[in-house]
Amino acid sequence: MRNEIVTIQSRRQLAEGIYEMVLQLPDDGAASGSGREGAAAEAIRPGQFINIKLEGQYLRRPISICDWTEDTITIIYKTVGRGTEQMSRMQAGETLDILYPLGNGFNLNGTFSKPLLIGGGVGAPPMYGLCKRLAGMGRKPIVLLGFGSTADVFYEAEFRQLGAEVIITTEDGSRGVKGFVTDGMDGVEYDSLFVCGPERMLQAVDEKAPQDVPGQMSFERRMGCGFGACMGCSCRTKYGSKRICVEGPVLERSEIVW
Amino acid sequence: MVATINGATANAVNTKVTLCGIEMDNPVMAASGTFGYGKEFAELYDINQLGSFSFKGTTLKPRFGNETPRIAECPQGMLNSVGLQNPGVDAVISEELPELAKVFHKPVMANVCGGSPEEYAAVTAKLEAADQNADCESAQPQIGWIEVNISCPNVKDGGMAFGTDPNAAASVISAVRRETKKPLIAKLSPNVTDIAEIAKACEAAGADGLTAINTLLGMRIDLRTGKPILAREVGGFSGPAVFPIALRAVWQVTHAVDIPVIGCGGISSAEDVLEMMMAGAKAVQVGSANLVDPYACVKIIEELPAAMEKYGITSLEGICSEESRKNM
């Protein structure tokens, strides 16, 4: 874990209440003493998150990492409260104090060849970084993204540019398959699952998918510290309690207790 | 990092304090529940820079704690209802303490919890026995102090129920007292009408020191659902917002008892440390600040000598003396 002051390189609105922010990491030279060694790219795994300190907010705000390069981190967030609303008003050039990378991230060491990546709403962003790495490993990811309505859809083109097959579902049917992501799973062939979204969506996907398909699911919890000290985000698993911020946010399907 | 770690600094201010006969390089400890058993922070920096820390509240059996959400944001602070999640004293002895010994070479404070006076006593007895049997090359025991948590607001049985009644508080302290000769610190709840009364009861029952204060009982409601944010509805409020309350409690308690008091509640700067010690605290605990900034304790310790110089303080033992309080 590193603590760094990053500069907002760009911020753009992707959909109603959905924003993308590209954060510029300091030069290694400027960051001496920060604990950052080498390029950020080597340190980050898809599914990890950053924890952001905001002026006037006491606790940090955990936001999943969408993508990263050697010296940038891209996040996508939804305005759900004061912290994220504050972030939605921040401009390029302003700085943020972040802890990163946090959490375990997705494990890419499986033998799967046809991974199905499912993202619901702001569960989609971590799927982008994952899709990019899987594509880079020569896998053929299928990406299934669920939204409320056509106006809520974001990053479809970005996913397609990675060469992924993209399926969109909307609850009102205004785009793609009508219904939930589980409706979009019909007829799709896959040998592994990577999922991020609201917990009820994760559970619905788990119930729909064949039991023998290995899967990893990314969970969300209100957090205190984000680095394992406060035990604020614990959850029960088949193998004992785990901290969503350290042993999560990604849990193996086989260990999840609903 | 500035080399102010060993008390004596280039500026010749003395940050050393003595707490119940144990000398500390500086008065800054991390508060229980915000520092685990030290592991997460030891990965970030040398935790020997701290005066010490109080490890996670430990019970006889493992506890999962409360359901989530356990955390809520507040103006200048936070609510927690973790509910004493811990692996149980046996796992603490067999796994956490040996790991801690590798990275922390100072006496640690053991925070002990229970649902009955007997459970507090049993946890203490196990820690005491483990510390005596430890194959320890240094003559110094690993556990310096036992901190008796009679003030956790997040559990159904025990916890705050003991710390809000003088007789119940005394019964726990007496039970633990029989199991250990180590300095015994009672961690007090602010959720009482007269904190001095509880402090006196703990002193009379054999406590060697007091920590003031644990969290304040609080609550938040999610405007979108109209329901409490915390699964347990209420939780402990901490952070900078509670600092004046903690300071007042320390002031009242130090005037009521003769045993040393550790000031805890909302401390997030070296100046807060000095203010708390001017109120009478012999040492301080930093809690929530660790969760927001994992480097909070070391930053405060680094800033301490300069802050002392700024206010003309040469020794911390001096500013909390009875005399200096009278002169204020």
Side-chain angles (χ1 to χ4, degrees):
Chain A
M1 177 175 76
R2 297 154 180 180
N3 182 199
E4 238 144 16
I5 307 296
V6 297
T7 306
I8 300 169
Q9 196 180 74
S10 67
R11 182 198 53 98
R12 65 176 174 132
Q13 188 165 2
L14 299 177
E16 182 63 34
I18 304 278
Y19 296 84
E20 176 204 71
M21 214 180 235
V22 181
L23 306 172
Q24 175 79 48
L25 296 165
D27 295 338
D28 272 355
S32 66
S34 67
R36 189 158 78 95
E37 291 145 21
E42 290 168 32
I44 297 173
R45 290 189 299 277
Q48 290 189 300
F49 65 95
I50 68 174
N51 214 1
I52 308 173
K53 178 78 184 133
L54 295 165
E55 193 67 35
Q57 305 295 324
Y58 191 63
L59 295 170
R60 288 173 183 267
R61 296 297 191 271
I63 306 281
S64 65
I65 295 172
C66 170
D67 194 18
W68 64 95
T69 66
E70 274 192 11
D71 53 4
T72 64
I73 291 175
T74 301
I75 56 170
I76 292 174
Y77 56 92
K78 183 179 179 180
T79 52
V80 290
R82 286 186 189 169
T84 42
E85 275 163 20
Q86 199 172 318
M87 282 172 63
S88 71
R89 293 189 298 271
M90 293 187 81
Q91 301 295 331
E94 291 187 69
T95 58
L96 290 170
D97 175 332
I98 67 166
L99 295 174
Y100 83 99
L102 302 174
N104 59 350
F106 290 103
N107 176 4
L108 306 188
N109 294 330
T111 53
F112 49 84
S113 60
K114 280 192 289 183
L116 175 60
L117 279 50
I118 305 178
V122 276
M127 292 302 141
Y128 180 78
L130 175 65
C131 183
K132 200 174 188 177
R133 270 80 206 171
L134 287 172
M137 292 162 67
R139 309 287 162 78
K140 297 271 176 235
I142 305 159
V143 177
L144 171 52
L145 305 175
F147 299 98
S149 178
T150 186
D152 303 322
V153 177
F154 64 89
Y155 254 49
E156 183 183 355
E158 284 83 348
F159 274 102
R160 288 197 197 283
Q161 276 166 18
L162 297 177
E165 178 190 340
V166 180
I167 304 162
I168 302 285
T169 68
T170 52
E171 287 170 41
D172 64 3
S174 54
R175 180 79 155 277
V177 180
K178 183 178 185 336
F180 298 103
V181 290
T182 40
D183 298 303
M185 291 165 73
D186 291 331
V188 179
E189 276 186 39
Y190 53 93
D191 63 1
S192 53
L193 270 172
F194 297 85
V195 197
C196 184
E199 195 155 327
R200 61 185 182 281
M201 185 200 100
L202 301 183
Q203 187 170 4
V205 169
D206 185 56
E207 283 164 6
K208 175 124 184 173
Q211 282 304 311
D212 58 348
V213 173
Q216 300 175 37
M217 296 190 166
S218 180
F219 285 75
E220 197 173 42
R221 279 285 187 289
R222 277 179 185 265
M223 290 178 185
C225 62
F227 56 91
C230 74
M231 315 304 278
C233 62
S234 300
C235 74
R236 290 187 175 86
T237 75
K238 287 177 186 163
Y239 311 106
S241 78
K242 291 197 170 183
R243 295 166 293 184
I244 289 297
C245 70
V246 177
E247 290 92 18
V250 179
L251 299 180
E252 291 284 341
R253 203 180 161 203
S254 56
E255 65 179 332
I256 297 167
V257 177
W258 297 110
Chain B
M1 295 233 165
V2 186
T4 57
I5 315 310
N6 297 317
T9 71
N11 302 325
V13 297
N14 187 357
T15 62
K16 283 188 199 268
V17 294
T18 302
L19 180 64
C20 301
I22 300 172
E23 192 182 75
M24 293 162 45
D25 293 331
N26 63 68
V28 180
M29 315 173 90
S32 180
T34 66
F35 213 74
Y37 297 91
K39 202 161 31 187
E40 289 74 22
F41 294 85
E43 286 172 12
L44 300 177
Y45 58 82
D46 178 6
I47 61 172
N48 293 290
Q49 293 174 85
L50 273 61
S52 183
F53 75 96
S54 181
F55 68 51
K56 176 76 186 155
T58 298
T59 51
L60 195 55
K61 302 284 177 215
R63 280 180 64 95
F64 174 72
N66 296 324
E67 295 306 316
T68 54
R70 297 175 175 182
I71 302 286
E73 165 88 21
C74 302
Q76 287 292 301
M78 60 179 284
L79 289 177
N80 92 81
S81 71
V82 170
L84 296 178
Q85 179 174 359
N86 78 94
V89 67
D90 291 335
V92 168
I93 289 167
S94 63
E95 290 161 38
E96 303 292 348
L97 291 182
E99 285 300 307
L100 178 62
K102 292 178 193 166
V103 294
F104 190 60
H105 314 301
K106 293 181 170 183
V108 70
M109 186 173 279
N111 188 285
V112 168
C113 309
S116 65
E118 293 72 27
E119 186 181 348
Y120 282 92
V123 175
T124 304
K126 281 181 180 251
L127 290 169
E128 179 77 32
D131 214 18
Q132 279 172 10
N133 299 337
D135 184 22
C136 195
E137 283 187 19
S138 70
Q140 173 184 273
Q142 188 175 12
I143 295 170
W145 311 261
I146 301 282
E147 183 173 54
V148 189
N149 183 354
I150 51 171
S151 44
C152 177
N154 297 321
V155 290
K156 193 164 83 243
D157 303 311
M160 200 175 86
F162 291 114
T164 50
D165 176 85
N167 294 327
S171 70
V172 174
I173 299 302
S174 302
V176 175
R177 179 75 286 172
R178 285 192 284 275
E179 303 298 336
T180 183
K181 290 194 167 58
K182 292 182 191 294
L184 203 58
I185 313 286
K187 186 166 181 179
L188 302 179
S189 172
N191 304 305
V192 293
T193 309
D194 182 3
I195 195 167
E197 184 191 16
I198 311 286
K200 284 186 215 167
C202 291
E203 183 183 36
D208 301 299
L210 303 166
T211 302
I213 52 176
N214 205 319
T215 54
L216 290 97
L217 201 57
M219 180 174 175
R220 298 233 55 192
I221 287 174
D222 184 337
L223 288 171
R224 287 164 302 185
T225 63
K227 290 178 178 149
I229 291 176
L230 299 176
R232 197 172 176 267
E233 299 174 351
V234 297
F237 181 43
S238 60
V242 313
F243 181 73
I245 298 169
L247 193 81
R248 179 269 300 167
V250 166
W251 178 269
Q252 288 179 328
V253 166
T254 51
H255 284 81
V257 298
D258 293 322
I259 51 179
V261 176
I262 305 166
C264 177
I267 294 173
S268 39
S269 70
E271 300 200 344
D272 291 345
V273 173
L274 296 181
E275 192 174 344
M276 197 57 105
M277 296 187 80
M278 286 175 178
K282 288 277 181 193
V284 300
Q285 291 180 351
V286 175
S288 310
N290 294 309
L291 307 181
V292 178
D293 179 0
Y295 299 92
C297 279
V298 279
K299 284 179 184 168
I300 290 170
I301 292 163
E302 278 177 23
E303 291 165 1
L304 198 51
M308 289 170 69
E309 282 211 333
K310 183 176 174 188
Y311 297 99
I313 299 160
T314 53
S315 162
L316 291 181
E317 291 282 9
I319 66 164
C320 49
S321 70
E322 187 66 24
E323 194 178 21
S324 85
R325 276 214 309 281
K326 279 179 185 157
N327 290 339
M328 280 177 63

